Amino acid sequence: MNRLLEHTILAAHDPATGRFDASRLAKALNLTTKEMADILHRTPRGLLKNPDSQQLQSEMARIVRTIVQLRELLDGSMEYVRIWLRSPHPDLGGRTPLSYLVEGKPEVVEALIYAYEVGQPG
């Protein structure tokens, strides 16, 4: 991957507009439309109607930043990212990181990733 683009997930962008696209981001993470809608606090219908809405850009940017950090920790593998998101984690009481994102608590996942970045998990 080009170093200039390491800060993002190319598959999450609409190539025509360059903006994040919720449908493309969901596909990159192997999420359902409902899961992505829950993460973004929207309805599935609304996401499908306007997946690259300007109003969604900052929320999607936060998710992408988190995923990019995670991808970095997991040797650049999006496959590992998808597995990690859906795997029950001992530092989350056996819950999956994805469950916190869907619940609207990305800060829990961000804190866990940060702990691993600085070498202080759990």
Side-chain angles (χ1 to χ4, degrees), residues 10-24:
L10 290 178
H13 291 268
D14 179 327
T17 64
R19 293 195 302 238
F20 291 117
D21 179 300
S23 296
R24 290 172 181 270

Side-chain angles (χ1 to χ4, degrees), residues 96-121:
T96 68
L98 179 59
S99 71
Y100 282 95
L101 294 177
V102 168
E103 247 180 53
K105 297 178 181 176
E107 65 279 358
V108 173
V109 177
E110 292 163 349
L112 181 60
I113 292 169
Y114 177 76
Y116 276 95
E117 283 182 321
V118 298
Q120 300 175 351

Side-chain angles (χ1 to χ4, degrees):
M1 176 187 318
N2 187 306
R3 285 189 48 208
L4 291 174
L5 296 170
E6 288 176 351
H7 69 284
T8 194
I9 300 169
L10 290 178
H13 291 268
D14 179 327
T17 64
R19 293 195 302 238
F20 291 117
D21 179 300
S23 296
R24 290 172 181 270
L25 179 56
K27 185 175 180 181
L29 297 174
N30 199 28
L31 301 177
T32 66
T33 300
K34 178 165 179 10
E35 287 169 328
M36 183 56 67
D38 288 345
I39 290 168
L40 296 172
H41 314 292
R42 301 295 195 280
T43 65
R45 184 177 176 195
L47 276 192
L48 290 173
K49 185 176 178 182
N50 199 2
D52 70 342
S53 163
Q54 189 62 43
Q55 290 77 22
L56 295 173
Q57 296 305 301
S58 65
E59 291 172 75
M60 284 193 285
R62 182 178 185 180
I63 294 166
V64 168
R65 273 192 309 274
T66 301
I67 297 305
V68 167
Q69 287 176 292
L70 182 57
R71 182 180 66 190
E72 231 175 75
L73 290 170
L74 295 170
D75 298 326
S77 171
M78 284 301 291
E79 177 186 0
Y80 292 169
V81 167
R82 290 186 288 268
I83 291 168
W84 188 87
L85 286 173
R86 292 189 179 276
S87 297
H89 198 286
D91 292 334
L92 299 176
R95 290 184 55 189
T96 68
L98 179 59
S99 71
Y100 282 95
L101 294 177
V102 168
E103 247 180 53
K105 297 178 181 176
E107 65 279 358
V108 173
V109 177
E110 292 163 349
L112 181 60
I113 292 169
Y114 177 76
Y116 276 95
E117 283 182 321
V118 298
Q120 300 175 351

